[in-house]
Amino acid sequence: MVGGRLPIRHREWVFHQATKPSWLAWFVVRAFLQVLPLTVLITLGLVWGLDSPLPLAVACGSLGLVVGVYFAVSYAIESTDHRMTKYGYPRAAASTYRKERATETDRERQLRYDAAWRSAE
C-alpha cells in the first residue's frame, strides 16, 4: 500500500529509506503515487459526470496532480520526520541524521579542496 504504514519490524529499513541521499526523490515518487488516484478520479468525474471536454478535464486533473505533489514536497522534511516518530524514533531523527551526514561530507570536500588548491600557495 502506497500510503500505508509498514509493520514496526521494518523500522530500520524505513529509517534507512528516509535518510539515504536519494530520500527526496523517493518521497516525490511516493507523493505522486498517493495523489495520482485522486487525480484520475477527478478527471473521470469531470468527463463522465459533468460532460466536460476531455482536454479540459485532463488539464484540471494535471493541475491538481502538480499542486498536490508540490504541497507534499513543500513539507517533505516535516512529513518524513513525523513518519519516523510513528516508528519510535525521536522527533526530527531523520533530518538530524541527514544534517550530520551532510556536515561530514562537506568537511571531507573541504579537506580535499584544501589539499588540492591551498597547498600550492
Side-chain angles (χ1 to χ4, degrees):
M1 180 176 213
V2 175
R5 183 171 171 247
L6 291 173
I8 197 73
R9 68 178 181 268
H10 298 294
R11 72 187 295 264
E12 288 84 14
W13 181 84
V14 172
F15 186 79
H16 172 73
Q17 289 296 109
T19 57
K20 66 183 186 177
S22 61
W23 76 274
L24 189 57
W26 286 107
F27 184 89
V28 171
V29 168
R30 185 173 189 260
F32 178 83
L33 291 175
Q34 286 176 331
V35 175
L36 186 62
L38 182 61
T39 302
V40 170
L41 187 67
I42 289 171
T43 303
L44 292 176
L46 287 172
V47 171
W48 291 338
L50 298 176
D51 247 357
S52 175
L54 183 62
L56 179 63
V58 170
C60 290
S62 300
L63 182 61
L65 183 67
V66 169
V67 169
V69 172
Y70 178 80
F71 182 77
V73 172
S74 296
Y75 294 98
I77 295 170
E78 294 84 359
S79 177
T80 302
D81 282 338
H82 179 67
R83 195 165 72 240
M84 293 304 101
T85 62
K86 292 180 182 180
Y87 286 95
Y89 289 100
R91 196 168 56 100
S95 59
T96 303
Y97 181 83
R98 286 191 303 266
K99 285 178 190 173
E100 290 172 0
R101 188 183 61 228
T103 302
E104 291 173 18
T105 303
D106 290 345
R107 196 173 300 125
E108 291 169 5
R109 277 191 196 130
Q110 187 64 44
L111 289 174
R112 285 195 311 264
Y113 177 85
D114 290 344
W117 297 100
R118 300 284 182 200
S119 62
E121 292 178 352

